Amino acid sequence: MMFTKTSQKFGQWADSRANTVFGLGFSSEQQLSKFAEKFQEIKEAAKMARDKSQEKVEMLSNHSQESGRETPSANQASSINGTDDEKIFHVGPEAALLKNENELLKSAVEQSNTSAKKWETELQTLRENNARLVDALQESSANVESWKKQLGACKEESDMLREKIAELEAQCNEASQEKQRNAQLSVRVQKLEAELQEKEQELENLRKQAEIIPQLMAECESITSKLQATETKNRELEGRVDVLHMDVEDSRQKQGNMKGELKKFMDILDGKIDELHEFRQGLSRLGIDN
């Protein structure tokens, strides 16, 4: 039989008599090499034992042939010149040689049986190791499947984390945009506050001008009273009075126009005040929001 390494951890040999192929798996390449070396040693030892047994059989057959050839002459010599004790003396060394050879053959057979038992034990151990390795391989396969599932779960979790990171980045971008908007709004608020101060200054000027209007109205009334007095006193001066009356009418018309303009101005002023009030409320709301 010839042992062949089919892979780094597996070997096989064929028994042509039994028409069977045997194989063994090992946990490492060193164990496989060690088994192959022992297999070769046992094979060579068996070959040497077989050769020795053949040599011994040939020697025995040669001795038996020589003894067969020498027996008639010995019998003749013993029958002529010797006794039965001499016959026993001549046969004794051959029997002793055969006995020694038989003992050697028995010891060789026992040694081969012992080696065979030893290798059967080692073979059984190797089979058990192979079964353990198969179980370990199955367990490792199961572990690989569980690891694959864990890897898939980790990948899903990493994808979720990436999505969350993308969302957070988008939120950060939105926050930065909001900061820019707030900065722009703060600048705009400052501008509006400056405009508000200007509007308040204008309003203050308009109020001062509005305070002058009653004085003007009082003066107008005094002028009308004076005109009436002059009309009664100076009827004789009707021409001039008519002219003055026309002037008065013009002044009255102008006064009416002035009153209308003043009323419009007061309405515009009230609108401006309302707008300023609403503008202040809007500014306060913007400040609260910021």
Side-chain angles (χ1 to χ4, degrees):
M1 292 185 292
M2 181 66 69
F3 183 79
T4 305
K5 295 180 182 179
T6 58
S7 66
Q8 292 182 353
K9 296 182 181 181
F10 192 82
Q12 64 183 17
W13 69 93
D15 188 356
S16 59
R17 295 179 181 179
N19 196 14
T20 306
V21 177
F22 300 94
L24 280 177
F26 299 88
S27 61
S28 65
E29 189 176 359
Q30 295 178 354
Q31 291 184 358
L32 176 62
S33 301
K34 187 176 180 181
F35 181 82
E37 291 175 358
K38 291 292 182 182
F39 191 93
Q40 189 65 27
E41 289 178 4
I42 294 299
K43 183 178 177 181
E44 292 175 355
K47 186 177 180 181
M48 292 173 67
R50 186 172 63 250
D51 294 337
K52 288 181 180 179
S53 64
Q54 288 179 358
E55 289 177 358
K56 290 177 181 179
V57 170
E58 289 176 358
M59 289 174 65
L60 289 173
S61 63
N62 291 330
H63 282 298
S64 63
Q65 289 176 2
E66 289 176 358
S67 63
R69 292 191 190 96
E70 293 175 356
T71 300
S73 60
N75 288 330
Q76 289 175 1
S78 63
S79 62
I80 296 170
N81 296 321
T83 62
D84 292 335
D85 293 333
E86 291 175 350
K87 292 178 182 179
I88 294 168
F89 178 76
H90 287 292
V91 175
E94 295 177 356
L97 182 61
L98 291 171
K99 186 175 181 181
N100 291 328
E101 291 176 354
N102 288 329
E103 292 294 332
L104 291 171
L105 288 171
K106 286 180 181 179
S107 63
V109 170
E110 289 176 357
Q111 186 177 3
S112 64
N113 289 330
T114 304
S115 299
K117 290 179 180 178
K118 180 180 178 182
W119 284 108
E120 285 179 356
T121 304
E122 292 184 0
L123 182 62
Q124 185 65 29
T125 304
L126 290 172
R127 285 177 180 173
E128 292 176 357
N129 291 330
N130 193 12
R132 291 194 195 97
L133 289 171
V134 171
D135 295 334
L137 182 61
Q138 292 177 355
E139 185 177 359
S140 64
S141 299
N143 291 328
V144 167
E145 292 296 329
S146 65
W147 291 340
K148 285 181 179 178
K149 291 180 181 179
Q150 292 178 1
L151 182 61
C154 289
K155 286 182 178 179
E156 291 178 356
E157 188 175 358
S158 64
D159 292 334
M160 291 175 66
L161 289 173
R162 286 177 182 173
E163 291 178 356
K164 288 182 179 179
I165 289 168
E167 291 177 358
L168 291 173
E169 287 179 352
Q171 291 178 1
C172 290
N173 293 326
E174 290 179 358
S176 63
Q177 291 177 0
E178 288 293 330
K179 287 181 179 179
Q180 293 178 358
R181 291 174 184 172
N182 290 329
Q184 293 175 358
L185 287 173
S186 62
V187 173
R188 186 177 178 185
V189 166
Q190 291 177 358
K191 291 181 180 179
L192 290 173
E193 286 178 352
E195 291 178 358
L196 180 62
Q197 290 178 357
E198 292 178 356
K199 295 291 183 182
E200 287 179 350
Q201 188 67 33
E202 290 179 359
L203 181 62
E204 187 67 25
N205 295 327
L206 290 173
R207 284 178 180 174
K208 289 180 180 179
Q209 292 177 3
E211 289 176 355
I212 299 170
I213 290 171
Q215 295 178 0
L216 294 173
M217 291 179 70
E219 290 177 356
C220 289
E221 289 178 356
S222 63
I223 290 168
T224 55
S225 64
K226 287 179 181 180
L227 287 172
Q228 290 176 0
T230 54
E231 284 178 358
T232 57
K233 289 179 180 180
N234 298 316
R235 289 180 180 176
E236 58 202 22
L237 300 174
E238 290 179 357
R240 294 179 66 184
V241 169
D242 291 333
V243 174
L244 291 172
H245 184 70
M246 291 175 66
D247 292 333
V248 168
E249 289 295 328
D250 292 332
S251 63
R252 284 180 180 178
Q253 188 176 0
K254 289 179 180 179
Q255 186 179 2
N257 293 328
M258 186 178 292
K259 286 181 179 180
E261 290 178 357
L262 183 61
K263 187 176 181 181
K264 289 180 181 180
F265 180 75
M266 292 297 291
D267 293 332
I268 292 169
L269 184 61
D270 292 332
K272 293 288 182 179
I273 291 169
D274 293 332
E275 287 177 1
L276 287 173
H277 184 66
E278 290 176 359
F279 186 73
R280 279 187 177 179
Q281 288 181 354
L283 286 176
S284 63
R285 288 175 184 173
L286 285 173
I288 291 169
D289 291 335
N290 289 327

